[in-house]
Amino acid sequence: MTPTPPISRSRRPFYGWWVTGAAATMFSIQTAAWGATFGAYLLQVQDEFGWSKLAISTAFSVSHVISGLIAPGQGWMIDRFGSRVVMRAGVSMLGIAFIMLSLVNNLWLFYAIVLMVGLGTNLAGFITLNTAVANWFIRKRALALGLSSTGIGIGGLLAPLVTWSLVTNGWRPTAFWTGVAVMLIALPLSQLLRQRPQDYGMLPDGAKPRLEGDSAQALPKTATPIDFTVAEAMRDRSFWLVSVGHGMALVSVFAVMVHLVPLLVEGHGWSETSAQAMFAVVSTSSLIGQVGGGFLGDRFSKTRLSAACMIGHGIALLMMATADSAIVIAAAAMLHGLSWGVRGPLMMAIRADFYGMRNFGTIMGYSTAIK
């Protein structure tokens, strides 16, 4: 019998890495523009209008709740129309929302626009980008998701620049020009997103068909042909455990995003710029975690690594709540960032491994609504 030829690979860079790079860039834009700087916006808006921190931070929380409720529909749109279309809609909404934010003059309008920012970030963010990346990889899925997630860390490193602009130029001009920048950069970037390699005559991980006559739809031996429907996934206990566990982890992530800067400014007497710079510690450690976690996730148990990170989140929050020195705060920020960086991409890879990619966007949408 003639032996099966080995899988061949093109010498050109696999297009999946371009998708990964586009996702990383979009994550960095979102994080720098809003995710890591909402706390700084909170202080600036409070100074101008005198609204309570509870009222302002509630807008952030409500936007995430409502964004979660639309996630199943978003996932269906991704599976039906592709990540590119959904990202374009989200980027357009996000850019317009930032421009409108610069015109806010009452609390209810602020709530409406923060909700619009949240919806735009959702449509152009987590589910959309991760679905696009996960579709292009099997063997290196955790690594690719880790590399795309480095955009979150890079955005955190850029966040002090946005905070400097908020303090120096004011929050209204900063919001306006952020909206302009989002549309000028992210709309062309969305063109790089392609939904599945099979649609373009390619296979995941850049593999080639084993025989001359093989269809490009054939899967390499490393693939597991698992494709759950949404109903099948939701009947699986693991779906609920992963969703609830991810949600519990995100409580710590959002708590740090919203309250770290106010805690350091009002509780410890730091300047706004210095407090925002602490996100550089979170971001640097998360970058290390994202790359290292992606590498480890393709080789070891993703579930055990994720469980260790959950413990890390809990310890970091306790340290921040009881810290009485900058050293302890910095150590907590490092632990939080490392746990976030390792865990984030693994949660996506776990779902893709468990349930396959045919209905991945929709399954992720329901999972996001639950968490």
Side-chain angles (χ1 to χ4, degrees), residues 1 57-58 79 114 116-117 120 126 137-138 140 149 256-257 269 282 303 311 313 317 323 333:
M1 178 182 291
S57 61
T58 296
D79 289 334
V114 170
M116 190 174 175
V117 171
F126 183 75
F137 297 91
I138 296 174
K140 298 180 180 179
S149 297
V256 172
M257 279 186 174
V282 175
T303 53
I311 296 172
H313 279 307
L317 283 181

Side-chain angles (χ1 to χ4, degrees), residues 79 228-236 239 359 361-363 366:
D79 289 334
F228 278 58
T229 65
V230 174
E232 289 171 340
M234 294 185 72
R235 287 196 295 269
D236 182 33
F239 172 87
N359 302 296
T362 308
I363 291 171
Y366 279 94

Side-chain angles (χ1 to χ4, degrees), residues 40 42 71 115 138 145 179-181 234 270 286 300 310 312 326 343 346:
L42 183 153
L115 173 59
I138 296 174
L145 289 168
V180 173
M234 294 185 72
W270 294 25
S286 72
F300 302 103
M310 292 288 288
R343 178 195 51 76
L346 293 184

Side-chain angles (χ1 to χ4, degrees), residues 91 131 141 160 190 315 319:
V91 167
T131 299
R141 181 175 285 152
S190 65
I315 294 173
M319 292 172 66

Side-chain angles (χ1 to χ4, degrees), residues 7-254:
I7 294 176
S8 61
R9 301 185 185 277
S10 171
R11 293 183 179 180
R12 293 182 299 174
F14 176 48
Y15 191 82
W17 297 117
W18 288 98
V19 176
T20 301
T25 304
M26 190 61 207
F27 275 131
S28 68
I29 292 171
Q30 293 177 354
T31 304
W34 190 247
T37 53
F38 180 80
Y41 269 104
L42 183 153
L43 295 174
Q44 294 289 315
V45 171
Q46 185 184 36
D47 285 345
E48 178 168 337
F49 293 106
W51 302 331
S52 70
K53 287 184 178 61
L54 177 62
I56 299 171
S57 61
T58 296
F60 186 84
S61 301
V62 170
S63 73
H64 278 282
V65 171
I66 295 179
S67 294
L69 294 177
I70 71 161
Q74 177 188 348
W76 177 84
M77 289 172 59
I78 294 168
D79 289 334
R80 178 67 177 82
F81 302 107
S83 297
R84 183 189 299 176
V85 172
V86 178
M87 180 175 169
R88 284 174 178 167
V91 167
S92 299
M93 182 180 293
L94 185 61
I96 293 170
F98 268 110
I99 292 173
M100 292 177 63
L101 181 62
S102 67
L103 305 175
V104 163
N105 55 18
N106 64 71
L107 182 59
W108 294 111
L109 182 58
F110 178 77
Y111 269 59
I113 292 174
V114 170
L115 173 59
M116 190 174 175
V117 171
L119 292 175
T121 300
N122 231 44
L123 291 175
F126 183 75
I127 302 176
T128 303
L129 298 175
N130 282 318
T131 299
V133 173
N135 267 317
W136 284 82
F137 297 91
I138 296 174
R139 292 186 306 105
K140 298 180 180 179
R141 181 175 285 152
L143 177 60
L145 289 168
L147 291 174
S148 67
S149 297
T150 60
I152 299 172
I154 293 170
L157 293 174
L158 296 174
L161 295 177
V162 178
T163 301
W164 173 85
S165 178
L166 288 168
V167 174
T168 304
N169 302 315
W171 66 273
R172 293 183 186 275
T174 300
F176 177 85
W177 289 109
T178 296
V180 173
V182 164
M183 288 192 286
L184 289 179
I185 298 171
L187 278 177
L189 192 69
S190 65
Q191 188 65 24
L192 292 175
L193 293 191
R194 296 180 182 179
Q195 186 70 351
R196 294 181 179 89
Q198 292 89 341
D199 297 339
Y200 300 90
M202 292 179 274
L203 290 173
D205 296 297
K208 294 294 182 181
R210 292 177 176 274
L211 297 174
E212 286 284 335
D214 284 350
S215 165
Q217 298 290 336
L219 289 172
K221 284 188 175 180
T222 50
T224 303
I226 298 174
D227 282 309
F228 278 58
T229 65
V230 174
E232 289 171 340
M234 294 185 72
R235 287 196 295 269
D236 182 33
R237 183 181 66 173
S238 298
F239 172 87
W240 298 94
L241 293 175
V242 171
S243 299
V244 173
H246 196 179
M248 293 174 65
L250 289 181
V251 169
S252 68
V253 171
F254 292 138

